[in-house]
Structure formats: C-alpha cells, structure tokens
Amino acid sequence: QQIQEDLNKQLLDNLVSFLSRSHSDFQEKTTKWTCRMKFREIPTAAVVLGVNVTDHDLTFRGLSDVLQDNITPYVALLEAKDCPAIKNLMQKLMGQLMNCDIEVDSLEDEDCVQVPQNRIRCSMLSLISWYESVTKKTDSGTPSKKRNSSSRHWQSPPVVVIFKDMESFTTKVLQDFIVISSQHIHELPLVLIFGIATSPMIIHRLLPHSVSSLLCIELFQSLSCKEHLSTIIDKLLLTSLFPFKLGEKVLQVLINIFLYHDFSVQNFIKGFQLCIVEHFYSQPLSVLCCHLVDLKKRVYSLSHAQCENIRRLPSFRRYVEKQESGKQIELLTNDSFLKKETERLLEDLYVYHENYVSILRCLHVFTSSLPKYPLGKQIRELHCACLENQVWETEEYESSLQLARMLNKTDLVSMLQQCVEILTSSSGKEFDKTVEKLKEFLTQFQNLEAEASQERDVSVSSQKELQKKTDLYHLQKTLLELKESRRSKKLTKFEMLRFEVVDYIDRLVRKYLVPADNRTLHEIVYFNAATVLRGHLNAAPRTALHTALNNPHRYLKNQALKCDGGGISNKAPDICIVYKLHLECGRLINLVDWLEAFSTVVMAGEEPNADAASSDQVDDIIHARFIRAVSELELLGFIKPSKQKTDHVARLTWGGC
Amino acid sequence: SLAKKIKEQKMGNLVEEYFEAHSSSKVLTSDRTLQKLRKRRLNQQTLHELLKNAPLAYAAEIRDLNEQHESLFSKWMLQLHLGFNIVLYGLGSKRDLLEKFRTSLLLDSVHLVVNGYFPSITVRSILNSITEEVLDHIGTFRSPLDQLEFITKRFKEDSSLELYVLIHNLDSQMLRGERSQQILAQLSSLPSIYLIASIDHINAPLMWDQTKLRLYNWLWYETTTFNPYVEETSYENSLLVQQSGSLALSSLTHVLHSLTLNARGIFRLLAQHQLEKKDNPSYPGLSFQDFYQQCREAFLVNSDLTLRAQLTEFRDHKLIRTKRGADGVEYLLIPVDESTLADFLEKEDEDV
C-alpha cells in the first residue's frame, strides 16, 4: 500500500507539474497583456478553454499565482455558484481582495494592516476607499514594502477579477457588475478575465451591446485537450520511469472515455489512479512492480506462498513448458532457483520496455508521415496497435510498409536522422549497433548523391538521343527499348538502399515490438482488467436494473428462475413479475387490471397448495405484495401516478418486451 | 460491420418505440377503478402486517448475494481513503448493506448517517448535524454556503478530523435539487470527508454535471441486493394506500408546485402569517376577512369568490383547515408543524 501511495503521488506530481508547464506559456501571454492595459474601458481577456470544465481549476490557480507574483497583489477568483446575486458577488470579491492584501502584506511585515472583515457593508464605494487607502500607503510609505517590482512601476496596480465559468453566471449579475465597475474605472483599475468553455460568441450572447461596448476584449486560446492527452500519454505511459504499465484493453477504455464522453484530463488521471489502486490491491505479485534498484531485495524476500503465486501465472507456465525437463523440475520445486530466474526475467522485462519505447518512437516517425496514416496519426494509436497483437501481422502495417518503400529520399534521410536521435538519447544499451547501422545508411545516402546525379545525366542523354531521331520507325524502336530497359531495370542503388532500410526497420519492429502479453511475467507489471475499470468509471445503472428485473437468474442463482426470455415466470420475485407486466402496457396502466394480472400469475405459481378456505387471506397478501412492488417501481422511477384518469399510472420508460 | 448494422437497427427501433409510445394521445385502457373493486383499501399498518407474514422468496440466494458484496468492504475503505467516493447502484434496498458496512467498519470513527428517503430532510439539516455534533460549533449561519465554507475551513485546518458520511438514497425527492447536490458535492470533495451513497432512481445520474461529478469523484459499484425497499417505500405515498393524516414537506411542495403563481402567493401569505404568530398559543388562525384584505393588497385575488374557490382547492388537498370561532368568524389554519412550515418557506425563497 505504501509503495502504491508513493507511486501515486509521484505520478500526480509529475502530472501537475506537466500541466502547469503546458499552461505557462499561455499564462505568460496573458500576464504580458495585463501589463499593457489601458485605462479607457475595462480591459478584458476572454480565455477560451474548451468544454472540459473540470480541468480548468488548475489553470486558473496557476494563472492567479503568476499574476500575483508578477503584476499585482490583487487577484480575485469568482465562481458562478458563489454569486447568485450582485450582492453576493460583491461580498465575495471584497473578501477575496482583502484577503489577498493581507496575505501579501503579511509576507513583509505582520502588523501593518488589520482590515476589518465586516462583510455586511460591502459596496463599491467601500471597495474604492479601501483600494485608495491601500495604494496610498504604498505610495506614501515605502515602495520597497511591495516586493514585486511591477507595483513600483505602477503607482496603482490593477485589480484582476477572474470569472471562472462565464457560461454559468446569470446574465443580470454579470451585466450589473460590468456597468457598475465601468463607472468607477478611473478610481479602481479593474481587469476582467473570463473563462469561456464554448466559444467567444457567448460573450455577445450574454451581454447586450450597451454592456459589451464597455469592455475591451482580447481573445486567448488555450491548448486543446487532445494535445494534453497525447502529452500525458507520452509522459506517463511511454517512459520507463514508472514500472507500472497499462494493458491494451484498459488503455483503450480510458481513451474511449476521454474521447467519447468528457474530454477531461482529470478524469483520465482518475482512471489511471484507479488502475493503480486496483492493480496493487488485486494482484498479489504486484509487490514486484518496482524499480530495478529495489527489485533484487524484494525478490529475495518473497515467501513460499508468493513463489507459488508466481508458478501459477499463466505466462510463467508457458515459459516453463518451453524449458527442458531438468530445469522444469527445478523451477517448479526449488524456491531459490525460482527467485533467481524470476529476477532475471523481470530484468528482461525492464530492458524490453526501454527498447520498446524507443523503437516505438522510431516507428511512429515513419508511420506518422505516411499519407492517410494507416497506423494512426498519434503515437497512442500506434501503441495500442502494438499492444493488441503482433503488429506486423496486421493489414495496416503491411500497407504502411508498402507506402514506406515509395518514400522519396529527403524524407527518408530526415526520418533516419530523427531515429538516430531518438536511439542515442534512449538509455538502452543494445542500440549502439543499431545506431551505427543507421548512421551507415545515412552516409550511404550521402554517397548516393553523386551517383544519382550521374544517373540523371544518363537519362538526360538518352532523352537527347530521343529528340535527335526524327524517323518514326527509329523512334518506335528506341521507345520500345527504353520501355524494355525500364521494365527489367536493375533497381537503382537508391532503391536498393531504400528497400534495405525498410527491411531493417521491419526487422527491428519484429524484434522489439512484441506485444507485452507474450512476455513472461507480464502480469506483474501490466494491469489488464478492463471490465472492472469500466464498471467503476462508466457504470450503467439502468442496464443493471433492467437485467436484474428482466432476468433475475443473473443474480439469484436458483434453478427455478432459469427460464427462456420473454415469458413471465411465476416463480420470479414479485417486483420482476410486476415489471414484466408493466412492460406489456402502453403509456398508461390501469391499476386494477394490473393487479388482476399479477394475482393471476402469482396464483398460478401457488396453485398446488391453494386452499379454498383461506383464499380471502391469500388475496389480501397478494394485494399487499402488489402494493409493495408497485411502490418500489415508483421509487425506481419506472412509473408515476397520473391524474389523467382515475387509478392509472403513467409509464416513464418506453419500449420493452 | 454486421454488429454495427444490428446496433443501428436496434437504435432505430428504440427511437420508433419512443414515438410509438407517445404518438397517440388516446390511451386504450379499461375504465375500471379501484373503487369498484370490492376490496377495502389497505392502510399502512395492515399493509405492514400482511407483508410481514408473506414469506420473502429466495432468502438464501439473496443472502449469498449480500455476502458477496460484503467481501468488498475492506476494498471500499482503501478506496475511500485514497480520495474516491463510492456510489452503489442496482436493484434492491442498499440500506442493510450500508448499515452492515457501518457496524462492521465504522464503529470506532466519526460517522454520519443521512436517511435521504426521509421526506423532511434538507441539506441544511445535514450541514447542521456536521457543525453541531462533529465540530461542536454552536451558532447559526446565514446561508448554507457560509456554513459550508466554515466546515471546509475547519476540516482543512485540522487534519485529524475525519468524517464518514453515509447517505441512503442520494437521489431522493428532497436531495435531488441542484443546489443541494452542489453543496453535497463540495462537501464530498474535502479530502477528509469520505462519502458512501446509494442511488435507486433510474435517472439519478442526470442530476450531476461534469463539475459535480468531478467533485464527487465517484467509484461505481453495482450492488444488486433484491432486498425489499421497506423503509424507503414507507414514505412513498402510494395510490393504493390510504393517505395518512399529517402532511410531509415533500408532498406540500409537490402540491404547491402544481398550482398557479397566485395560488402559491396566497398560501405563502397564510404561512407567513402563521409563522409570525407561532409563539402565541391562543392564536386561532387568520380570519377570512383579514386574509381577503391582505390578498387584495398583494394583488393576489380580485374578488371574494376567487379566494373562496382557491381556499376550497387548498382544503381538498388538506393544505388548510377552517375553524369557526366563538364569534362565528371563519379562521384559517395550516395543519402543519412549524418547523416544516419554516423549511417550506425557506425552500420557496431559494426557488424564487
């Protein structure tokens, strides 16, 4: 558990730092812009952020930090849910600004301000007077009090107000605030920043012309979430930093949720986190999922039971079956031998990862420039394809190789150069040879240059010859000859080389990009329970209810419940019977008929021990059971009482049977 | 692509089914009513007794199923501590399961159980119980948002505070509103508050948007128990059961929501008046003439007759009671206890 928390933390830290880095350039732009604002209208920055609202928290926090450090100590962050009316907005704004002030000041000297926090009297006027008092203090007293240099330049630092979610503000509040603050803009230099999830059109839709003319809007665009995703995948999955890996199906699930549901990077991270938790919780051998440094110690501290667990892994069994019999026995009985072997195998796995990643990048360099992207544009698609099965057996790979054989030289050279770079930067040791080979290719290409020009000369001369002949017969003959020669054409040296290169890449792929499922002991490092993950992240309560009501046998393992679909079994629980009967109805259901149908079904079930004398009693019980089942259905939201007709209920779902 | 085609076809069918179900305004059902059935209507009491006698089918299988869910308890604990919150869905009451979770794992720690199905529950009461009992804070807050802020601050300051919140039926009538969900979501996003909730309604996930989902950070667990919803449905006023006398807050709001704006205003006037006089034990109610005067001043009615018609409608829904005083004047009273009335007025204020 401890390890896993560590891992988790490490991972999250990495992510957060990465996210803030990706935002930083964009933040810089905004800050620069805030610096050179003018005093006529309210300067406004509209920041288009995309629909993944959940990720924006981090952006805004970063933004306000940057602003606070560089420009002005007065930054307020407003959220729509805190400001249902203009009064609340002002209160919130005041509170935050004064707090900011206290925070900044308290860094330098403790005793200077005691801003009274009476939130009742929060008006624009008091805000202005407060502002004046603060700025005057800065002016009159010690400029050095403020640490940031900008406030020394600026006699009055601007007050920045960030509206986090522009769309969810009420129009009236927003308009009122803008109108009010525009009247005081001379005393109180305000800068507004709108966070917009949809498109800049929304500003004009929310604000009438008279209000939006008070603003001086500049638009900023943030990175799209897809780019975030690819960088995150790049940093998280395609590194050897983290020993924990995702299996193909799991990755597919996560990416699907991202692309088809919410575009939220945060949710992706949550899913990833869940994978880690799930893996370390369910897989007893996940202790071995650690860095190479710790591996040896942990392998040697394994208990006997854990060794048995290793032996039980399917991939290990496959491995054992391939060994000769003497070694097999050793592996299956001798613990210490097994440990040694395990360590070796895990080290292999580690090396495999390093090689895998760099070769994957090389292959991506090749395939991403091909027309139509048979293997996908992004590296994640390639990664999925490689994990899924042996990539060289797929059609897409075949076609991409064919396309690669038709590449022209400049592209090829540049790609090779990129590959060399990747391989040299990767830490794997096995690539010295490869790099050399590729470099050799490169030099050969350079040599080719000269030959190629010669060749061109030849062809040009033949062309000239062609022009000389004027005789029709001769012309035909030479043309034929040319054609002949072209057909039987010995491949030019360049083409030969090209084939060679492609073949070499092909060989590399075959060697290193073996899917992880085929490796021994991959279970320790890979998490592959995609269904569990999907169940927890992307649940379908309606489906669960439907199956439980339609087919209770799924949950209650009783022989009596097993029946063909469609029909109504009289042995099912009450609520299932009632549900099935209600499926057969239209939009409105008559309660009396429903009750009768129910009692018919139930009576049929209890016929064997029916007693004529107590039939009234039984009737009452059935009535009670019916009432219970109907009110349960009402609670579940399948029906609701209807006023259209007496004693009828309306169905809220449709279809059925 | 065959599978795709089938899926498409299914999709098409689904759409057609929807329109088929809603196309004809005429509905063909028989005209029989329960009144004509010779049986008497059961009331809540007898219903309970009858059900107690009826044997529960498949008890053994249900127990197996529950044991299966109970094996997940330790996993839930781990996941709660890692910052996730857990939501349970599936057929059957999850009350017993959560109760078992509470008794087996939470007895030593501070925990709060919220019965969402209880018709008079409000977010305010949840927050109050946190501030008063967990944080030992005495005092009132002007709005739930302030209260929430206070709680957040306290929990952030004091890292030793931990609180488990169990909510039965997060999707119940009273908690499903947007504001209550927002507050609960913010509450659950605090790292030292661990939330386990259960939902039952098929459309429950509709009440969460992206932001709330993010705050809730749900992990979904399917826990189909097949347990009967005993506690939950006991508050559900079914058509088939005789209505009990006292009015619950939820039914009050429901009836009021289906009325016109003016009718609501009339009721509000009466309610406010009654609340003002709540300390006076001999208060007989508002006399009709005074009430008429007030309604006229507020432009809610224009004649004696309309007010009377309106009051008749209220009386039919058992919203008011009239009493003739010693002087022969009609007095109007709302037969609801003060706290419910106060809650109701507060809720109305929020909605407006």
Side-chain angles (χ1 to χ4, degrees):
Chain A
Q1 240 191 57
Q2 192 55 48
I3 321 161
Q4 147 206 330
E5 265 161 33
D6 283 354
L7 253 181
N8 229 331
K9 199 155 175 225
Q10 189 183 353
L11 201 147
L12 287 182
D13 287 349
N14 205 2
L15 274 172
V16 168
S17 70
F18 160 71
L19 270 181
S20 45
R21 211 180 325 135
S22 72
H23 282 304
S24 63
D25 55 334
F26 149 77
Q27 276 163 1
E28 266 163 34
K29 252 196 304 184
T30 328
T31 33
K32 251 182 234 154
W33 177 80
T34 342
C35 284
R36 55 178 178 73
M37 57 141 215
K38 16 186 202 307
F39 272 81
R40 291 271 169 67
E41 300 156 312
I42 311 176
T44 310
V47 182
V48 181
L49 284 163
V51 288
N52 45 342
V53 194
T54 47
D55 302 341
H56 302 161
D57 268 7
L58 217 66
T59 321
F60 283 119
R61 217 170 305 141
L63 183 61
S64 66
D65 282 349
V66 171
L67 285 174
Q68 233 154 30
D69 287 347
N70 299 336
I71 302 177
T72 161
Y74 314 118
V75 179
L77 240 166
L78 294 178
E79 279 181 66
K81 64 173 193 295
D82 298 330
C83 319
I86 187 83
K87 198 180 100 198
N88 307 51
L89 188 141
M90 289 309 295
Q91 273 181 11
K92 201 88 193 161
L93 181 64
M94 288 285 278
Q96 283 199 18
L97 285 179
M98 289 174 174
N99 265 343
C100 287
D101 182 44
I102 291 169
E103 266 171 40
V104 170
D105 280 349
S106 63
L107 289 179
E108 281 93 35
D109 49 357
E110 305 290 317
D111 54 354
C112 73
V113 237
Q114 298 96 23
V115 182
Q117 271 276 58
N118 55 342
R119 289 167 124 223
I120 306 122
R121 301 182 67 256
C122 288
S123 68
M124 204 67 189
L125 277 178
S126 57
L127 185 62
I128 290 167
S129 61
W130 159 80
Y131 181 74
E132 271 170 0
S133 72
V134 172
T135 42
K136 210 177 286 158
K137 201 170 63 210
T138 354
D139 289 346
S140 63
T142 48
S144 59
K145 213 191 217 170
K146 297 265 179 254
R147 196 177 34 177
N148 43 8
S149 58
S150 58
S151 72
R152 241 172 285 155
H153 295 214
W154 290 73
Q155 291 304 314
S156 48
V159 174
V160 179
V161 182
I162 303 176
F163 291 90
K164 246 175 156 178
D165 33 6
M166 173 91 174
E167 275 88 350
S168 31
F169 272 95
T170 26
T171 339
K172 193 166 179 320
V173 172
L174 209 57
Q175 286 173 22
D176 285 353
F177 178 73
I178 290 171
V179 172
I180 292 172
S181 51
S182 75
Q183 296 193 336
H184 296 285
I185 192 72
H186 295 291
E187 299 114 84
L188 184 72
L190 270 176
V191 179
L192 310 180
I193 297 179
F194 294 145
I196 293 173
T198 49
S199 79
M201 276 305 290
I202 196 78
I203 299 178
H204 300 291
R205 204 162 305 156
L206 278 179
L207 304 175
H209 184 71
S210 56
V211 176
S212 59
S213 62
L214 296 171
L215 302 173
C216 165
I217 300 172
E218 188 153 330
L219 208 63
F220 295 89
Q221 195 85 32
S222 79
L223 274 177
S224 83
C225 48
K226 245 164 87 186
E227 282 160 51
H228 275 184
L229 177 72
S230 25
T231 21
I232 278 178
I233 286 182
D234 213 44
K235 298 256 147 132
L236 270 187
L237 303 177
L238 301 176
T239 55
S240 43
L241 277 179
F242 306 112
F244 173 76
K245 307 275 180 219
L246 291 181
E248 183 265 335
K249 292 220 180 77
V250 172
L251 184 61
Q252 204 72 54
V253 167
L254 285 181
I255 290 178
N256 280 349
I257 289 178
F258 181 87
L259 289 180
Y260 296 124
H261 288 269
D262 53 10
F263 289 122
S264 157
V265 178
Q266 295 268 342
N267 275 357
F268 185 83
I269 295 168
K270 174 189 162 191
F272 193 78
Q273 226 175 324
L274 180 66
C275 289
I276 296 176
V277 175
E278 201 58 43
H279 180 71
F280 283 90
Y281 185 82
S282 58
Q283 176 67 254
L285 287 170
S286 53
V287 265
L288 295 180
C289 178
C290 57
H291 288 287
L292 213 49
V293 198
D294 309 330
L295 184 65
K296 198 165 181 174
K297 214 166 58 199
R298 289 200 195 163
V299 168
Y300 278 98
S301 62
L302 285 182
S303 66
H304 177 70
Q306 280 169 319
C307 289
E308 282 303 313
N309 276 334
I310 293 181
R311 289 188 185 117
R312 236 172 276 139
L313 290 179
S315 71
F316 188 75
R317 313 202 98 169
R318 254 179 280 141
Y319 173 74
V320 169
E321 274 159 25
K322 278 187 210 133
Q323 310 299 318
E324 68 264 26
S325 58
K327 205 175 167 192
Q328 269 185 5
I329 294 164
E330 278 286 285
L331 275 175
L332 290 180
T333 53
N334 188 347
D335 273 0
S336 60
F337 184 74
L338 175 79
K339 282 175 186 172
K340 218 172 279 167
E341 193 69 15
T342 311
E343 196 191 332
R344 198 182 58 73
L345 283 171
L346 283 174
E347 272 165 13
D348 275 358
L349 202 60
Y350 190 78
V351 171
Y352 155 76
H353 278 307
E354 288 197 333
N355 298 344
Y356 174 86
V357 170
S358 35
I359 295 290
L360 187 74
R361 282 177 203 278
C362 290
L363 185 61
H364 180 239
V365 166
F366 267 85
T367 53
S368 62
S369 61
L370 295 175
K372 282 197 192 164
Y373 314 104
L375 273 173
K377 209 185 212 169
Q378 311 268 7
I379 197 160
R380 65 177 138 84
E381 289 161 291
L382 195 64
H383 182 56
C384 279
C386 288
L387 283 174
E388 196 178 358
N389 46 25
Q390 292 168 334
V391 73
W392 54 89
E393 282 173 357
T394 58
E395 260 176 59
E396 288 86 6
Y397 183 75
E398 207 51 51
S399 66
S400 56
L401 269 197
Q402 260 163 19
L403 286 171
R405 290 201 180 98
M406 287 180 253
L407 283 171
N408 63 7
K409 203 176 98 183
T410 45
D411 284 352
L412 195 59
V413 170
S414 72
M415 279 180 208
L416 279 177
Q417 269 162 349
Q418 278 183 47
C419 287
V420 170
E421 258 168 49
I422 290 170
L423 291 183
T424 42
S425 62
S426 89
S427 50
K429 307 124 212 155
E430 284 183 31
F431 289 120
D432 300 342
K433 246 190 276 172
T434 326
V435 172
E436 251 164 53
K437 184 80 183 168
L438 285 182
K439 274 184 182 152
E440 198 182 309
F441 279 135
L442 270 183
T443 48
Q444 274 178 356
F445 272 113
Q446 267 139 30
N447 293 343
L448 258 182
E449 205 106 317
E451 292 170 37
S453 59
Q454 275 177 18
E455 231 168 87
R456 209 175 300 128
D457 284 348
V458 174
S459 63
V460 165
S461 67
S462 71
Q463 210 77 16
K464 269 176 193 159
E465 246 171 88
L466 223 156
Q467 278 165 359
K468 253 189 273 167
K469 310 282 183 193
T470 49
D471 191 342
L472 192 67
Y473 172 70
H474 279 285
L475 181 67
Q476 212 168 17
K477 201 173 156 193
T478 39
L479 271 176
L480 268 177
E481 267 172 19
L482 261 176
K483 208 174 172 186
E484 195 78 356
S485 71
R486 204 168 287 163
R487 187 176 301 155
S488 69
K489 196 181 195 177
K490 16 74 208 175
L491 296 165
T492 59
K493 235 175 173 181
F494 166 65
E495 279 164 355
M496 296 275 271
L497 200 55
R498 190 162 68 181
F499 276 122
E500 213 176 319
V501 170
V502 173
D503 282 344
Y504 187 71
I505 296 281
D506 190 28
R507 249 178 295 140
L508 277 181
V509 168
R510 277 166 199 259
K511 190 168 168 197
Y512 291 112
L513 292 188
V514 187
D517 285 359
N518 295 355
R519 308 290 305 194
T520 312
L521 292 184
H522 71 89
E523 286 94 339
I524 293 176
V525 182
Y526 279 84
F527 176 69
N528 243 331
T531 45
V532 178
L533 186 72
R534 192 172 318 144
H536 290 332
L537 285 183
N538 204 6
R542 291 184 76 139
T543 328
L545 279 179
H546 186 75
T547 43
L549 287 170
N550 238 342
N551 185 10
H553 179 69
R554 278 281 298 275
Y555 296 96
L556 304 171
K557 304 286 179 211
N558 193 312
Q559 279 305 314
L561 288 175
K562 213 172 205 171
C563 69
D564 46 333
I568 301 171
S569 147
N570 48 29
K571 301 226 175 44
D574 292 344
I575 188 167
C576 301
I577 298 175
V578 171
Y579 175 74
K580 285 223 174 142
L581 286 171
H582 119 281
L583 282 185
E584 290 174 355
C585 297
R587 196 151 54 84
L588 281 182
I589 307 167
N590 186 328
L591 278 172
V592 182
D593 292 348
W594 200 5
L595 170 62
E596 229 144 70
F598 175 74
S599 70
T600 316
V601 171
V602 174
M603 289 300 265
E606 285 172 359
E607 204 139 38
N609 50 1
D611 233 337
S614 65
S615 78
D616 205 35
Q617 182 85 35
V618 170
D619 247 20
D620 265 355
I621 290 183
I622 288 175
H623 191 184
R625 278 163 64 184
F626 177 70
I627 291 172
R628 177 174 65 184
V630 168
S631 45
E632 277 171 4
L633 274 194
E634 191 183 344
L635 178 80
L636 292 176
F638 284 102
I639 54 167
K640 72 166 190 200
S642 160
K643 289 270 152 60
Q644 280 183 33
K645 226 170 159 187
T646 43
D647 291 332
H648 275 64
V649 289
R651 259 183 86 179
L652 300 175
T653 53
W654 65 91
C657 301
Chain B
S1 78
L2 189 69
K4 201 176 168 187
K5 205 181 271 173
I6 289 171
K7 203 173 170 187
E8 243 165 44
Q9 211 168 8
K10 235 173 157 180
M11 221 29 211
N13 277 345
L14 218 64
V15 174
E16 273 167 26
E17 274 171 1
Y18 176 81
F19 285 113
E20 204 175 305
H22 287 83
S23 57
S24 65
S25 58
K26 207 176 70 190
V27 188
L28 288 175
T29 48
S30 67
D31 292 330
R32 301 200 292 169
T33 56
L34 286 173
Q35 232 85 51
K36 286 183 190 150
L37 216 61
R38 66 196 153 76
K39 226 167 292 151
R40 69 209 147 79
R41 286 198 166 196
L42 301 166
N43 61 14
Q44 202 98 8
Q45 207 77 47
T46 47
L47 181 73
H48 267 293
E49 267 158 35
L50 280 174
L51 284 179
K52 221 178 276 166
N53 295 335
L56 186 61
Y58 307 109
E61 284 84 4
I62 288 173
R63 209 173 46 241
D64 281 354
L65 208 60
N66 285 335
E67 268 163 23
Q68 212 175 310
H69 298 317
E70 279 155 28
S71 64
L72 292 170
F73 280 174
S74 58
K75 192 172 178 180
W76 289 357
M77 277 306 262
L78 173 70
Q79 283 169 341
L80 284 175
H81 278 273
L82 285 172
F84 296 104
N85 293 311
I86 287 177
V87 62
L88 310 177
Y89 65 93
L91 183 67
S93 164
K94 273 118 352 213
R95 213 184 109 77
D96 296 343
L97 192 69
L98 280 182
E99 200 57 22
K100 194 143 191 185
F101 177 71
R102 187 179 75 84
T103 45
S104 59
L105 285 177
L106 297 185
L107 275 186
D108 301 333
S109 38
V110 187
H111 58 267
L112 175 73
V113 180
V114 178
N115 293 324
Y117 49 80
F118 193 63
S120 307
I121 197 154
T122 53
V123 190
R124 175 61 77 89
S125 57
I126 298 175
L127 290 178
N128 276 343
S129 54
I130 292 179
T131 45
E132 278 162 24
E133 268 138 57
V134 181
L135 299 180
D136 285 328
H137 173 87
I138 307 148
T140 51
F141 297 88
R142 273 185 300 121
S143 75
L145 281 176
D146 282 345
Q147 203 163 3
L148 185 72
E149 213 166 274
F150 173 77
I151 293 171
T152 319
K153 217 169 87 193
R154 279 294 299 274
F155 271 97
K156 279 199 175 133
E157 276 166 10
D158 194 350
S159 59
S160 67
L161 275 173
E162 282 187 339
L163 174 65
Y164 295 85
V165 182
L166 283 86
I167 302 183
H168 302 291
N169 294 75
L170 187 61
D171 52 349
S172 64
Q173 290 287 350
M174 301 312 295
L175 297 181
R176 67 173 60 151
E178 204 264 335
R179 280 171 144 265
S180 11
Q181 287 295 326
Q182 177 74 46
I183 285 169
L184 286 177
Q186 274 174 291
L187 203 61
S188 73
S189 69
L190 292 178
S192 48
I193 289 184
Y194 312 113
L195 177 69
I196 297 192
S198 67
I199 57 170
D200 288 302
H201 200 278
I202 41 171
N203 293 329
L206 290 184
M207 61 189 176
W208 300 316
D209 59 11
Q210 281 244 8
T211 330
K212 290 197 198 78
L213 280 179
R214 173 71 207 138
L215 288 172
Y216 272 125
N217 209 1
W218 288 130
L219 279 189
W220 297 77
Y221 275 91
E222 180 177 344
T223 52
T224 304
T225 59
F226 277 98
N227 283 337
Y229 291 98
V230 181
E231 293 285 323
E232 289 91 329
T233 52
S234 67
Y235 295 104
E236 193 93 2
N237 276 325
S238 174
L239 292 165
L240 300 163
V241 187
Q242 264 170 3
Q243 307 277 333
S244 51
S246 73
L247 268 174
L249 177 55
S250 66
S251 52
L252 196 67
T253 41
H254 261 277
V255 173
L256 260 286
H257 267 298
S258 59
L259 290 177
T260 60
L261 212 61
N262 276 353
R264 265 194 263 177
I266 292 170
F267 190 77
R268 256 178 80 96
L269 256 182
L270 191 58
Q272 274 167 351
H273 196 81
Q274 184 162 342
L275 269 187
E276 278 165 21
K277 295 280 166 58
K278 71 180 171 192
D279 299 326
N280 179 6
S282 62
Y283 168 66
L286 191 58
S287 73
F288 180 79
Q289 277 310 320
D290 291 349
F291 191 40
Y292 176 57
Q293 205 57 40
Q294 285 187 19
C295 286
R296 270 192 76 113
E297 278 161 14
F299 295 116
L300 290 171
V301 292
N302 55 5
S303 73
D304 194 3
L305 218 58
T306 40
L307 182 60
R308 282 207 188 274
Q310 200 58 66
L311 290 181
T312 318
E313 188 171 352
F314 285 157
R315 205 171 310 142
D316 289 347
H317 284 107
K318 294 184 182 129
L319 289 181
I320 60 167
R321 215 167 49 199
T322 51
K323 210 163 51 176
R324 239 172 237 293
D327 45 354
V329 181
E330 257 187 301
Y331 287 107
L332 305 169
L333 261 182
I334 303 177
V336 178
D337 53 338
E338 269 96 37
S339 63
T340 317
L341 209 57
D343 274 349
F344 163 75
L345 278 181
E346 192 175 288
K347 213 169 147 58
E348 281 285 288
D349 286 339
E350 256 174 39
D351 289 347
V352 170

